[in-house]
Amino acid sequence: MPALDLLLPFAIASVLFAIMPGPALLYTAAQTMAHGKKGGLLAVLGIHVGGLAHVIAAAAGLSAVFKLVPEAYVVVKVLGALYLVWMGIGLIRQKVANTPADMTGVPVARSAKRAFFQSVTVEVLNPKTALFFLAFLPQFVDPAATFPIWLQLLILGFVVNLAFSSADLFTVFVTSAVMRTLRQSQRAQRALRYLGGSILVGLGAHLAISRT
């Protein structure tokens, strides 16, 4: 593995990136608003799985395709943006449901499973994640280390992804705690549903118009 003079800055940078407010934390909060605590937790798992896919792609050199073929980056970015907007509009249009269904009107168990697969799709279709790992991880690789470079990339990527998921988990618990105090009010549920849907639409629009 890399020497301590590389691992220490890597650990600090990973923690800073993880706790920095950004689209991932907003997305996790939106999914928790829509599908409850269980849905939020499975959304975090889905994001983690999607992140691991990007880590593997970076270690295998596949993420470099987005730099070599800009058109591929644009296509994947637009698909991801459209999917987020579609999810957000769907959440806004749903009626407030009574228990044991979530705010989208879907039974809780099926809703949580849906949150997982949606989150995997969203993360895999986010080329910014691929470029982040491609740019960030090689800075902390030591060519003279015993482990081959591809294995160092996998290990470092796994650690970064775990740090991100830890911050996402914190967001789920905080959002869930706030929701518990508002659950008795249909008006509050409706407001949370609109807020969650608006966050997803906003994230999709931001992804679509961003240049990098």
Side-chain angles (χ1 to χ4, degrees):
M1 286 297 291
L4 184 61
D5 59 341
L6 284 177
L7 289 179
L8 186 57
F10 167 76
I12 295 173
S14 298
V15 171
L16 290 177
F17 277 122
I19 64 177
M20 188 181 303
L25 298 184
L26 288 174
Y27 173 83
T28 304
Q31 285 285 26
T32 306
M33 292 176 194
H35 303 292
K37 183 178 179 180
K38 183 177 181 180
L41 292 174
L42 282 177
V44 171
L45 179 60
I47 295 173
H48 186 80
V49 171
L52 286 179
H54 284 298
V55 170
I56 294 172
L62 298 179
S63 298
V65 171
F66 289 125
K67 282 193 172 183
L68 298 174
V69 186
E71 292 81 5
Y73 174 88
V74 173
V75 169
V76 173
K77 183 178 75 166
V78 170
L79 287 175
L82 290 175
Y83 188 63
L84 279 169
V85 171
W86 176 76
M87 287 171 53
I89 293 175
L91 178 57
I92 292 172
R93 293 181 60 187
Q94 291 287 348
K95 296 179 179 179
V96 175
N98 297 319
T99 55
D102 72 351
M103 284 190 205
T104 65
V106 179
V108 173
R110 186 154 57 95
S111 167
K113 186 182 296 185
R114 174 186 293 180
F116 170 76
F117 288 109
Q118 285 178 339
S119 301
V120 173
T121 304
V122 166
E123 188 67 1
V124 169
L125 288 178
N126 186 359
K128 287 189 173 185
T129 304
L131 292 181
F132 168 78
F133 284 121
L134 186 64
F136 180 69
L137 297 180
Q139 308 301 320
F140 305 98
V141 167
D142 184 0
T146 305
F147 289 176
I149 290 178
W150 66 267
L151 183 55
Q152 292 183 57
L153 289 172
L154 278 180
I155 295 173
L156 294 174
F158 179 81
V159 172
V160 174
N161 205 34
L162 192 61
F164 288 173
S165 296
S166 299
D168 292 340
L169 285 173
F170 178 77
T171 302
V172 170
F173 287 115
V174 171
T175 305
S176 179
V178 172
M179 288 180 60
R180 274 199 301 270
T181 64
L182 302 175
R183 189 168 293 168
Q184 302 303 319
S185 169
Q186 290 242 339
R187 180 176 296 179
Q189 288 189 41
R190 189 177 299 111
L192 287 172
R193 179 168 50 83
Y194 277 109
L195 177 60
S198 299
I199 289 174
L200 293 178
V201 172
L203 289 175
H206 174 74
L207 179 60
I209 64 177
S210 61
R211 295 185 178 182
T212 58

